[in-house]
Amino acid sequence: TVQVGLTSLTGDSEALSLDDRGSFSADALGPGTWVLQVSATGYAPAVRPVELEPGEAMDVGEVQLTHRSTGPDAVWLRGQALDADGAAVAGALVEIFVVEPAEAFTTTTTAADGAFAAPAAEDEAYLIRVGAAEIGPVTWDAESGAFATEDGSPVTVVAAP
């Protein structure tokens, strides 16, 4: 979910709703300098000043958000794929999905020891699939500095035979 807000230098604030096209409008803003902030889970917020004159309509243009997995805030989602006997599953396709909203995120392949890694965002939950086996949601645990399952276990996908 994308959040859009405007805050004036005097402390007034306005939360805005997006329409079906991702556009927004604010009709009751007073003149002056406002700060536009656009944010969404998994993305670095975009912030830009907006200067409004009395009675002026303004188009702020398109606001691009950068996914945290592609910038300096990226963290590594690391795990391992094992078979039912505990042996490493090498060369397997690993599919990673964002839980909310449910969508494909990235793919990678396991190494010889079954390990896999992909850059991710610490504020998103992920589902990991290797073949028919799934694990998730996995979330960032700041204390351990790694992704873990809801019960705190490491990210290990046990592939079905």
Side-chain angles (χ1 to χ4, degrees):
T1 303
V2 176
Q3 296 88 36
V4 179
L6 286 163
T7 305
S8 73
L9 296 181
T10 61
D12 295 330
S13 64
E14 183 83 25
L16 305 173
S17 298
L18 298 176
D19 65 19
D20 294 340
R21 300 173 309 162
S23 298
F24 60 88
S25 64
D27 299 325
L29 299 178
T33 302
W34 291 78
V35 177
L36 172 69
Q37 182 166 355
V38 181
S39 61
T41 300
Y43 292 83
V47 179
R48 69 168 68 151
V50 177
E51 189 69 39
L52 292 178
E53 299 296 329
E56 178 186 31
M58 174 181 278
D59 182 346
V60 296
E62 187 172 293
V63 178
Q64 292 286 327
L65 298 179
T66 303
H67 198 270
R68 291 183 191 275
S69 68
T70 63
D73 295 334
V75 293
W76 284 93
L77 193 167
R78 299 178 192 277
Q80 188 175 30
L82 304 173
D83 66 16
D85 296 324
V89 178
L93 175 66
V94 179
E95 298 174 283
I96 302 172
F97 302 86
V98 174
V99 172
E100 181 83 23
E103 61 187 17
F105 177 65
T106 192
T107 60
T108 189
T109 305
T110 59
D113 63 355
F116 61 87
E122 67 181 40
D123 60 347
E124 287 185 314
Y126 297 95
L127 172 76
I128 301 163
R129 183 181 300 150
V130 178
E134 292 183 350
I135 186 172
V138 297
T139 56
W140 181 253
D141 177 29
E143 188 174 314
S144 69
F147 279 88
T149 62
E150 289 179 317
D151 68 3
S153 299
V155 178
T156 303
V157 182
V158 179

